[in-house]
Amino acid sequence: DIQMTQSPSSLSVSVGDSVTITCRASQGIDNHLAWFQQRPGRAPKSLIYAVSNLQTGVPSRFSGSGSGTDFTLTISSLQPEDFATYYCYQYNTFPLTFGGGTEVQIK
Amino acid sequence: DVQLVESGGGLVQPGGSLSLSCAASGFTFSDHYMEWVRQAPGKGLEWVGRSRNKANSYSTEYAASVKGRFTISRDDSQNSLYLRMNSLKTEDTAIYYCTRGSCSGGSCHSFPDNWGQGTLVTVSS
């Protein structure tokens, strides 16, 4: 199975800060990498697919990059509604697998 | 708007069975792959399985943890996705989410682009 390792597991930031979350795959996944946001008590929401493509309606302060095995999610100028847990996800090889999540907390 | 509404969750004893449903609306259900994803209390997300569309013979894929116990099916005439869960274990306790798949690239590598609100399954004696 492909292991998806996210770091950090949590971080504390202030509104207006920029945040970068990394995700490393244990083997190459081409560009089949997505990111999801989950606010407390809510269902996940799709943010990004194919490494860097924003889902419709996702603000442009979210961006994704990377290739091969190393990927990043960047949130520029964090807003109050961005405090949530973020998951990366590889959909290249079965079984499909998620990262362990990164909780973004208010400082 | 795309809507996915899960139902059928509840309390079941270990070794028991349960069936979940997902009612889809706002899109052409028959065109899409559909998947189930679950989340144990306080834990991360876990992919459960996939149903491909008619063009791909409604073929299915499963996580090793549920293979042989869970069955995904669909009824395109009812715009519905199902998850039949047998031989349930305490570790199957989770919120189960129905997701719509979209394809990227030339071949269909499907990823979730819409999620339901989830239904809670509790396996306990």
Side-chain angles (χ1 to χ4, degrees), chain A residues 17-100:
Chain A
D17 286 351
S18 177
V19 165
T20 297
I21 299 168
T22 66
C23 180
R24 174 165 289 175
S26 60
Q27 59 188 271
I29 57 170
D30 200 357
N31 70 333
H32 302 125
L33 188 282
W35 290 95
F36 304 100
Q37 176 194 64
Q38 187 176 33
R39 298 184 178 118
R42 303 286 296 275
K45 172 187 173 182
S46 300
L47 293 178
I48 287 172
Y49 66 95
V51 177
S52 60
N53 295 272
L54 265 60
Q55 292 282 0
T56 302
V58 173
S60 58
R61 63 180 179 274
F62 290 89
S63 63
S65 64
S67 63
T69 61
D70 294 312
F71 305 90
T72 61
L73 172 69
T74 299
I75 312 170
S76 61
S77 188
L78 212 71
Q79 298 300 299
E81 61 267 29
D82 300 335
F83 292 94
T85 299
Y86 293 86
Y87 295 92
C88 62
Y89 172 71
Q90 70 83 16
Y91 53 98
N92 188 72
T93 304
F94 292 106
L96 309 183
T97 46
F98 289 88

Side-chain angles (χ1 to χ4, degrees), chain B residues 54-122:
Chain B
K54 182 179 180 181
N56 290 276
S57 305
Y58 298 123
S59 58
T60 53
E61 306 283 349
Y62 297 95
S65 58
V66 307
K67 194 169 186 178
R69 300 188 299 122
F70 289 13
T71 301
I72 298 174
S73 61
R74 61 193 290 164
D75 184 342
D76 288 355
S77 69
Q78 297 294 317
N79 292 336
S80 293
L81 179 73
Y82 305 102
L83 180 65
R84 175 66 177 178
M85 303 182 292
N86 295 328
S87 303
L88 282 160
K89 307 175 181 179
T90 55
E91 53 263 41
D92 295 319
T93 294
I95 297 172
Y96 285 74
Y97 295 103
C98 167
T99 73
R100 184 185 83 161
S102 283
C103 296
S104 69
S107 61
C108 185
H109 287 271
S110 178
F111 58 91
D113 67 356
N114 281 272
W115 298 66
Q117 85 289 348
T119 188
L120 177 63
V121 173
T122 303

Side-chain angles (χ1 to χ4, degrees), chain B residues 9-59:
Chain B
L11 175 63
V12 60
Q13 291 189 336
S17 298
L18 199 64
S19 290
L20 305 183
S21 299
C22 170
S25 61
F27 65 100
T28 305
F29 180 77
S30 59
D31 286 348
H32 286 264
Y33 292 12
M34 299 293 294
E35 296 183 332
W36 290 97
V37 175
R38 69 183 180 182
Q39 185 170 36
K43 302 297 184 182
L45 300 170
E46 179 187 16
W47 175 77
V48 172
R50 167 180 291 178
S51 167
R52 295 183 179 88
N53 55 15
K54 182 179 180 181
N56 290 276
S57 305
Y58 298 123
S59 58

